[in-house]
Amino acid sequence: MTSPGSPATPGQASWTNSELESMAARVLGRVPVTEFGVIISGADGRFVAGTPTAASILGLTVEQLLGRTIVDQRWSAITADGDPVAGDELPANTTLRTGRPQSGVLLGVQRGSDAAGEHTWLRVDTHMLPHDEPRPPGAVLSCFSVIDGPRAAELRLAQSERTFRMITERSHEVVGIHGLDGTWLWASPAAGRVFGRPPAELLGTNVFELVHDDDVDLADATLAALLDGSDPVTVTVRMWRADGAMLWAEVIGQLIRDRRGRPHQLQSSFREVTARIEAEQARDAAVEVFHTVMASSPIGMALRDVDGRVRRINSALQAMLGVTDDDLIGTTLLDRVHADDRLVVEAAITAGGDGSAYEARLLRADGSSVWVDATSVVLHSFDGSPSAVLEQLHDVTTRKIAEADLFRRAISDPLTGLLNRTRFTELLGAALDDARAGGPEVTVLFCDVDRFKSVNDTRGHAVGDEYLRAVATALTLIAGPGDIVARYGGDEFAILTRTDGPDVAEMTRRIQSADTGASGPLTISVGVASSRDAAPEDLVRDADRAMYLAKQTRDTAV
């Protein structure tokens, strides 16, 4: 109760709190109960004045109260029978609409600070503001107080029962009350949907009659644990429907004790989880198959996080890389990629999207490398987001060695080991392309072994082959590190260089005086041709002609 002289809160109409309370007593024709709240709402329904007690009852301050309406979202109201009250049916709005007072109306108000399902019960009186009170015209005075004592307890109990009934009737879970041995004493309507048995059919039977035989021992142990303790117990068991179908149910049991704390009854809830359990079983089966395949596969496999960290590897990958789990788990496979192949692998992973494929060398524990053909598959979680990546790695070292050998054979001369004519022509073409683009001029030195036929004729092809290998060695030693030496055919050799004139001249002189290891008069004639834009065959032809002229000159001089 406010003091008579308490000033009105700034912002509300200029009544003092004592004036508001006196006005309520005059309008009602009686003095309200000791603690009562007074509110005045204007013709638009908004609160223009209110006492601190009124604001406190509604869970607000006076400042928060002013400007709001009785249909504010901060609170909702029900009747004593539990029916929701629409905004236009609230006492103040009824009085404003009809002009008639509302007296002794019982309302349960759920304020923002109240727990779910709880209400503060009020007795409300509303009247139009007397005509001799011109501030403001058409206003409604509401006077209300909190109901307490036995009546309040009765109202709260009735509403609690209504709330419980509403929840149990609408819930998809079966709620049950049982004796301590599991006998059904009460069941919610959901029993018909879940078990195919209406509640009346369950009463007097035992809940264990619905439990699958293989889960009865588990249910017995759960009941024993429930009776020995005080906390709720949860168990998942198989149960039978009336039509003989089996379902999985998650059961939560709780012990109800009497006033002396002794076990009295059991309260339970049954939620069907068949779909979840079957999904989990399917997932577990798939995981088991995955782990079995991974463990027994002859292909190297690694399960890694999306960020690349390895979670698990199989024995095939351990053997392939000569590592243990501890060596790889927590690291990334990229850490094992040969330095020369890292860019290729990184590009493949970046462009791979939901998977990638690449061939690269991985480093073994002993420092050697193994070629792998790697493919990855992104695994997704239930919501579609990436959860892990499965890497599958085939050891293709044998194939890569065979391919390298085939390539070497395709581009090299089997007798001398030098590049062959085909490969030399390809590289010469690439060098000329570079020269046309602004690179250095290209020079070809065409070499021919003088009087080689006489060696074959007089000493045999085996000795001739030895001479050709000796010439190949000599030319390789004379050529610069960036030069290309090839056996062009028979006793003809070619050198591709980008050296300028003086160096080419020195190279020519050294070739002509080279020690080929021959005991006879075995010399080499050299022809030189240079160009930036010639065709490869034209440049070789020009060098060949220059060699022929050099040979003629040399023979004439001799």
Side-chain angles (χ1 to χ4, degrees):
M1 189 90 173
T2 57
S3 60
S6 299
T9 300
Q12 68 176 341
S14 56
W15 291 283
T16 65
N17 295 327
S18 59
E19 287 175 336
L20 291 173
E21 292 168 353
S22 297
M23 185 189 307
R26 179 161 59 90
V27 170
L28 295 177
R30 55 183 171 80
V31 177
V33 296
T34 303
E35 293 292 334
F36 65 98
V38 180
I39 291 178
I40 293 179
S41 51
D44 61 356
R46 297 187 178 279
F47 301 144
V48 297
T51 62
T53 301
S56 177
I57 290 174
L58 295 178
L60 302 172
T61 65
V62 174
E63 289 79 4
Q64 293 171 331
L65 182 70
L66 298 180
R68 298 183 182 276
T69 70
I70 195 61
V71 293
D72 193 279
Q73 296 299 317
R74 281 177 174 262
W75 51 74
S76 60
I78 60 173
T79 67
D81 294 329
D83 297 324
V85 180
D88 60 351
E89 296 174 344
L90 290 167
N93 288 344
T94 300
T95 295
L96 181 63
R97 186 178 68 254
T98 65
R100 293 192 297 272
Q102 303 293 305
S103 180
V105 178
L106 294 182
L107 287 180
V109 177
Q110 185 172 23
R111 306 169 299 181
S113 58
D114 292 330
E118 293 187 0
H119 293 77
T120 298
W121 289 93
L122 307 178
R123 180 175 284 105
V124 183
D125 296 288
T126 59
H127 289 261
M128 295 297 298
L129 203 65
H131 294 294
D132 58 355
E133 289 287 348
R135 303 166 297 176
V140 174
L141 180 143
S142 298
C143 180
F144 51 90
S145 59
V146 176
I147 298 174
D148 54 15
R151 179 54 174 158
E154 178 185 326
L155 290 169
R156 284 194 291 271
L157 177 61
Q159 180 57 23
S160 177
E161 290 175 348
R162 283 191 294 269
T163 300
F164 175 77
R165 186 166 57 251
M166 177 189 68
I167 292 173
T168 56
E169 287 178 354
R170 298 180 182 180
S171 174
H172 292 287
E173 298 181 8
V174 179
V175 178
I177 303 295
H178 311 270
L180 296 179
D181 63 349
T183 299
W184 288 92
L185 304 178
W186 180 86
S188 66
R193 181 187 63 81
V194 175
F195 298 127
R197 302 174 188 273
E201 186 177 317
L202 290 176
L203 300 186
T205 67
N206 195 287
V207 69
F208 284 89
E209 296 175 17
L210 301 179
V211 177
H212 192 285
D213 290 347
D214 293 342
D215 291 340
V216 168
D217 289 344
L218 175 60
D220 277 333
T222 302
L223 176 59
L226 186 62
L227 294 175
D228 288 342
S230 57
D231 295 331
V233 177
T234 302
V235 65
T236 301
V237 294
R238 287 163 291 182
M239 304 186 76
W240 296 110
R241 287 177 50 85
D243 59 6
M246 189 197 77
L247 61 91
W248 283 94
E250 183 179 77
V251 186
I252 302 176
Q254 187 165 352
L255 184 63
I256 301 174
R257 297 181 180 273
D258 63 16
R259 294 182 178 180
R260 297 183 181 181
R262 296 172 301 187
H264 177 59
Q265 290 176 339
L266 301 174
Q267 185 269 319
S268 64
S269 64
F270 301 80
R271 180 161 62 98
E272 183 177 358
V273 292
T274 304
R276 188 196 78 192
I277 295 297
E278 289 178 348
E280 290 174 352
Q281 290 175 337
R283 178 203 63 197
D284 293 344
V287 168
E288 181 62 28
V289 169
F290 170 77
H291 287 164
T292 300
V293 170
M294 187 173 180
S296 60
S297 174
I299 300 171
M301 290 187 175
L303 185 67
R304 64 174 176 83
D305 294 328
V306 177
D307 66 359
R309 299 289 171 182
V310 176
R311 294 184 193 171
R312 179 173 180 171
I313 61 176
N314 67 351
S315 57
L317 185 58
Q318 293 177 6
M320 184 188 303
L321 299 180
V323 297
T324 64
D325 283 346
D326 293 338
D327 294 326
L328 271 190
I329 292 178
T331 68
T332 71
L333 287 178
L334 197 58
D335 297 334
R336 292 269 169 181
V337 175
H338 193 286
D340 294 343
D341 298 337
R342 284 182 67 92
L343 291 179
V344 173
V345 174
E346 289 173 348
I349 293 174
T350 301
D354 274 358
S356 61
Y358 59 85
E359 286 189 353
R361 286 162 291 180
L362 298 186
L363 298 177
R364 292 172 50 84
D366 60 7
S368 62
S369 62
V370 54
W371 275 99
V372 297
D373 180 356
T375 58
S376 66
V377 178
V378 178
L379 308 179
H380 296 85
S381 59
F382 68 93
D383 62 356
S385 61
S387 61
V389 177
L390 177 64
E391 298 273 4
Q392 302 175 81
L393 302 104
H394 297 255
D395 184 345
V396 293
T397 305
T398 301
R399 173 171 65 81
K400 295 296 286 187
I401 291 174
E403 289 175 353
D405 184 59
L406 287 173
F407 180 72
R408 181 183 59 79
R409 290 173 182 270
I411 67 171
S412 64
D413 170 47
L415 177 64
T416 63
L418 297 177
L419 295 180
N420 61 19
R421 177 176 181 170
T422 300
R423 185 58 174 164
F424 180 84
T425 303
E426 291 175 353
L427 295 177
L428 177 57
L432 287 166
D433 289 341
D434 181 61
R436 280 189 287 271
E441 187 177 52
V442 177
T443 297
V444 171
L445 289 79
F446 200 85
C447 308
D448 180 81
V449 181
D450 299 323
R451 296 175 297 279
F452 179 72
K453 183 177 183 301
S454 64
V455 174
N456 277 339
D457 291 344
T458 60
R459 304 185 65 178
H461 287 282
V463 174
D465 290 347
E466 183 181 348
Y467 276 134
L468 291 178
R469 284 192 287 267
V471 170
T473 300
L475 294 179
T476 301
L477 292 174
I478 293 171
D483 298 338
I484 296 170
V485 183
R487 183 184 178 195
Y488 206 74
D491 60 349
E492 297 174 335
F493 295 82
I495 299 176
L496 167 61
T497 181
R498 298 187 183 190
T499 309
D500 55 17
D503 291 332
V504 170
E506 173 62 18
M507 187 184 299
T508 301
R509 186 194 64 77
R510 292 178 61 192
I511 293 171
Q512 290 172 339
S513 60
D515 180 8
T516 61
S519 58
L522 194 62
T523 57
I524 302 174
S525 295
V526 182
V528 179
S530 300
S531 178
R532 285 185 176 275
D533 55 6
E537 59 273 15
D538 292 340
L539 187 56
V540 172
R541 182 197 62 212
D542 292 344
D544 186 17
R545 288 176 178 174
M547 181 275 300
Y548 181 73
L549 292 174
K551 185 185 290 287
Q552 282 187 327
T553 302
R554 193 167 189 172
D555 289 343
T556 301
V558 173

